[in-house]
Amino acid sequence: MIVRTPPMGWNSWNTFGHDISDELIRKTADIMVSEGYLDAGYNYLVIDDCWQEPERGADGRLVPDRKKFPNGMKPVADYVHSKGLKFGIYSCAGTLTCEGFPASYEHEFTDAATFADWGVDFLKYDYCFKPIGFDGPTLYRRMGMALASCGRDILFYGCSWGADETRKWIKSAGAHMWRATGDLVDSVGSIKEHAKMFEQSVKYSSTGSFADLDMLTVGMYGKGNVGVGGCDDLIYKTHFSFWAMTNSPLFIGADIRNIKKEAKDILLNREVIAINQDPGCWQPYEIGTKGGWNPSSIPCYVKMLEGGEIALGIFNFSEEDCKISTPLDRIGLSMGTGKTLEMREVWTGETETATNGVHKTFVPAHDCKLYRCRIVDIKYGV
Ligand code: GLA
């Protein structure tokens, strides 16, 4: 099995767009190891679009941009592997990539063979310039077959933005992860919108085929390719917690060569990552809070963890500070079970409990609470 828990890594697109090079990738690989990202689980280093020459070679194969990657791609992959990381690359199901470079339509098997030769471990497969008369399932299944038969384990990331009801067919193409949404940009509005859109995909996400909310913008602060407005550390914390809680893959999009300590601490929070990477891989479920999903509402997800614990996430994407009441019977623990929760908020380390079957907490605007809970006996009269 190529992947059991949500894949993690770094991707060049959010910050660098076209501005990628052999040197950038090697330096990023160094930092992923020396600064503890690999140890925390971020093991895929992925080059996104814009790595190609505008034309295929005489042999029909894709050619890496000669200025950006003067030694070709294999030495880059070898270097990434030498650091203990896995190497990822990008192509597209259409006639061109989203940035107009040659893509894999009707070259699927040749490209899969090329990627295998270079030592690629991960393919992000986009959905631009779809040829007329072809549908998504056909195009993605073709590449799925090409990868599965290329002789190398290559993780398949179907990046069709949730379009054409991706969630309903992408698993039939063998995708290990698949984009449930359009592109995320570095703004509060975009993060909120993605969290909202995710509700329709979450029940299709499963072990070995995870719904992806797009690369993280944590630590970008408005800089780089999808910089836009930028966010503050509070919303980055909530963004990261939501992605982690809902089993989204976690791909860093910031420039980790120069990242603020606060953002790095968010990305490397082991307890939050452990909820995302829980080996049980249970599906998260939404339990609904005040008002359901509307602009001032607060999504609340629960996820059972291996070993009998439970994670609970309350995400205040609204502009108002809120007091949130969560009756435990919404989670499945009515008082009649004789059980309640002992709750540890993983960002603060503080402990909270429920009283008379209801947990109450205060969540400031843009903040979140993320708990790891133990199921314990209700102690009457204490
Ligand atoms: C699409 C994808 C992005 C990125 C760009 C590259 O928009 O959704 O994640 O890969 O293409 O062109």
Side-chain angles (χ1 to χ4, degrees):
M1 192 172 199
I2 291 178
V3 66
R4 182 174 157 82
T5 55
M8 296 173 65
W10 179 92
N11 175 298
S12 60
W13 180 252
N14 276 6
T15 296
F16 297 98
H18 284 249
D19 195 13
I20 49 178
S21 66
D22 179 305
E23 193 193 341
L24 170 74
I25 300 307
R26 285 175 197 252
K27 184 70 190 160
T28 300
D30 293 345
I31 302 278
M32 283 176 81
V33 177
S34 64
E35 296 297 312
Y37 294 93
L38 174 60
D39 275 351
Y42 297 95
N43 61 341
Y44 285 98
L45 190 164
V46 182
I47 301 180
D48 208 283
D49 202 356
C50 312
W51 60 266
Q52 316 86 333
E53 278 288 326
E55 300 295 335
R56 286 178 178 267
D59 56 0
R61 293 200 163 205
L62 290 165
V63 181
D65 183 301
R66 293 187 182 87
K67 288 209 184 73
K68 295 173 182 171
F69 300 98
N71 305 310
M73 213 46 100
K74 182 141 186 4
V76 181
D78 289 347
Y79 186 79
V80 168
H81 290 148
S82 77
K83 305 299 280 189
L85 295 158
K86 291 175 184 281
F87 179 64
I89 210 162
Y90 164 103
S91 191
C92 179
T95 51
L96 295 171
T97 72
C98 296
E99 291 297 301
F101 292 92
S104 295
Y105 169 65
E106 299 223 312
H107 297 274
E108 291 86 355
F109 284 82
T110 307
D111 291 353
T114 305
F115 299 148
D117 287 349
W118 290 347
V120 166
D121 306 296
F122 176 113
L123 176 68
K124 174 174 177 179
Y125 205 50
D126 221 329
Y127 201 38
C128 284
F129 296 100
K130 188 171 67 155
I132 294 165
F134 282 88
D135 58 16
T138 305
L139 295 173
Y140 279 85
R141 285 175 195 145
R142 271 194 196 179
M143 186 48 103
M145 289 176 208
L147 292 176
S149 60
C150 75
R152 188 176 171 87
D153 280 348
I154 299 184
L155 187 154
F156 188 23
Y157 171 22
C159 182
S160 51
W161 325 309
D164 304 331
E165 301 192 307
T166 296
R167 60 189 180 279
K168 297 190 177 163
W169 48 263
I170 194 73
K171 286 186 203 167
S172 70
H176 303 97
M177 58 184 268
W178 44 277
R179 183 80 77 71
T181 62
D183 287 10
L184 183 74
V185 296
D186 188 23
S187 75
V188 182
S190 184
I191 291 167
K192 269 190 206 182
E193 193 50 36
H194 273 61
K196 183 172 179 172
M197 279 190 282
F198 191 61
E199 208 185 354
Q200 61 181 6
S201 295
V202 65
K203 55 179 172 296
Y204 294 88
S205 186
S206 63
T207 304
S209 189
F210 294 97
D212 174 46
L213 280 159
D214 200 1
M215 284 89 71
L216 302 159
T217 62
V218 177
M220 292 182 65
Y221 303 102
K223 294 203 195 86
N225 192 35
V226 303
V228 193
C231 299
D232 58 21
D233 293 323
L234 190 61
I235 199 81
Y236 285 144
K237 169 190 156 192
T238 303
H239 163 29
F240 188 65
S241 301
F242 189 89
W243 266 232
M245 180 66 196
T246 54
N247 290 356
S248 176
L250 300 175
F251 279 78
I252 299 169
D255 180 358
I256 54 171
R257 301 169 310 171
N258 306 293
I259 190 165
K260 261 178 68 182
K261 182 181 179 308
E262 289 78 1
K264 184 176 169 196
D265 288 347
I266 291 172
L267 293 167
L268 294 180
N269 185 305
R270 296 292 182 119
E271 284 192 73
V272 179
I273 293 173
I275 290 174
N276 179 260
Q277 295 290 307
D278 185 73
C281 274
W282 294 76
Q283 195 170 62
Y285 55 101
E286 224 275 325
I287 57 168
T289 48
K290 206 172 89 113
W293 256 121
N294 61 51
S296 63
S297 78
I298 288 118
C300 180
Y301 277 89
V302 177
K303 176 182 163 184
M304 290 164 64
L305 305 173
E306 198 168 79
E309 292 184 319
I310 288 177
L312 168 69
I314 302 170
F315 306 92
N316 187 355
F317 286 115
S318 84
E319 304 303 316
E320 292 161 33
D321 299 346
C322 281
K323 286 183 192 148
I324 307 288
S325 297
T326 309
L328 298 194
D329 57 4
R330 292 230 191 116
I331 300 174
L333 286 177
S334 65
M335 289 187 74
T337 60
K339 301 289 179 183
T340 187
L341 294 179
E342 194 177 274
M343 310 165 73
R344 177 186 147 77
E345 209 286 319
V346 299
W347 290 105
T348 60
E350 284 165 13
T351 303
E352 296 178 23
T353 47
T355 309
N356 294 329
V358 181
H359 167 251
K360 293 185 180 159
T361 194
F362 173 75
V363 191
H366 290 185
D367 204 351
C368 68
K369 292 278 179 91
L370 189 60
Y371 302 96
R372 194 171 178 110
C373 316
R374 284 197 322 120
I375 300 173
V376 295
D377 291 338
I378 296 177
K379 290 195 186 108
Y380 292 101
V382 178

